Amino acid sequence: MDEVVPIVPREARPYQGRRAGLVTRLIAGVIDGVLVVVSLLVGYVGVNGLIFLFDPRGFQFSEASPILSVAAGLVLLVLYLTVAWSTIGRTYGCQVMGLRVVSRRGERLRPLVALLRAVLYVMFPIGLFFCAGGVGRRSLQDLVLRTSVIYDWLPRHP
């Protein structure tokens, strides 16, 4: 007879549903940041690949503007976070770290709240450090919008 393996590891069960701390959230944020940078690089190579296809003899890699690249990265990050938080409640980094972003009622974020949280997250990343010693492990974004980042290893939010 096959043994049923529980979804949540035994060691993690006491933390299921509790607010996540600074280190876990930082690691998830770094994973998401790397994902956005890789996406930008793939886009840059893809655009240059198309240019090469149309003019192989005169091809030169286009020079990427640092300001435009940073702006595109920030916009892409805001869009990525907004869509992820408003649809499934977690980004890829959150999935890896077993986190989920929820409203004050423990539900998935509405699109507008997810957008506002993403903008605050990108524009004021230092706000994350509020959860290090603050009441209830809440970042500045969480305090302003009444959201929480909880440990949630379940595939779907109950």
Side-chain angles (χ1 to χ4, degrees), residues 16-36:
Q16 179 73 17
R18 288 191 178 177
R19 290 193 181 118
L22 176 65
V23 174
T24 311
R25 292 169 73 162
L26 271 176
I27 294 170
V30 167
I31 292 169
D32 292 332
V34 168
L35 185 67
V36 167

Side-chain angles (χ1 to χ4, degrees), residues 1-6:
M1 198 86 174
D2 290 334
E3 183 179 330
V4 176
V5 178

Side-chain angles (χ1 to χ4, degrees), residues 8-149:
V8 181
R10 184 177 340 114
E11 297 81 9
R13 287 182 197 150
Y15 299 101
Q16 179 73 17
R18 288 191 178 177
R19 290 193 181 118
L22 176 65
V23 174
T24 311
R25 292 169 73 162
L26 271 176
I27 294 170
V30 167
I31 292 169
D32 292 332
V34 168
L35 185 67
V36 167
V37 168
V38 168
S39 298
L40 284 174
L41 289 173
V42 167
Y44 173 75
V45 170
V47 166
N48 279 284
L50 285 174
I51 293 170
F52 174 77
L53 287 175
F54 288 111
D55 186 15
R57 288 182 179 231
F59 174 75
Q60 288 184 328
F61 273 98
S62 61
E63 191 171 318
S65 163
I67 293 173
L68 186 60
S69 298
V70 169
L74 294 177
V75 168
L76 183 61
L77 183 59
V78 167
L79 290 173
Y80 166 67
L81 295 172
T82 301
V83 170
W85 290 338
S86 65
T87 56
I88 59 174
R90 62 173 89 206
T91 61
Y92 182 71
C94 289
Q95 175 70 31
V96 170
M97 298 307 296
L99 304 176
R100 186 179 306 273
V101 180
V102 294
S103 70
R104 65 180 169 187
R105 295 184 188 126
E107 300 167 343
R108 187 174 52 227
L109 300 184
R110 293 187 327 259
L112 180 59
V113 174
L115 174 63
L116 292 173
R117 190 176 195 285
V119 169
L120 285 173
Y121 183 89
V122 169
M123 299 310 292
F124 303 105
I126 196 84
L128 178 61
F129 290 96
F130 274 61
C131 71
V135 178
R137 293 181 164 180
R138 299 179 98 174
S139 69
L140 176 64
Q141 297 84 352
D142 293 331
L143 292 170
V144 169
L145 297 170
R146 296 181 179 163
T147 59
S148 294
V149 179

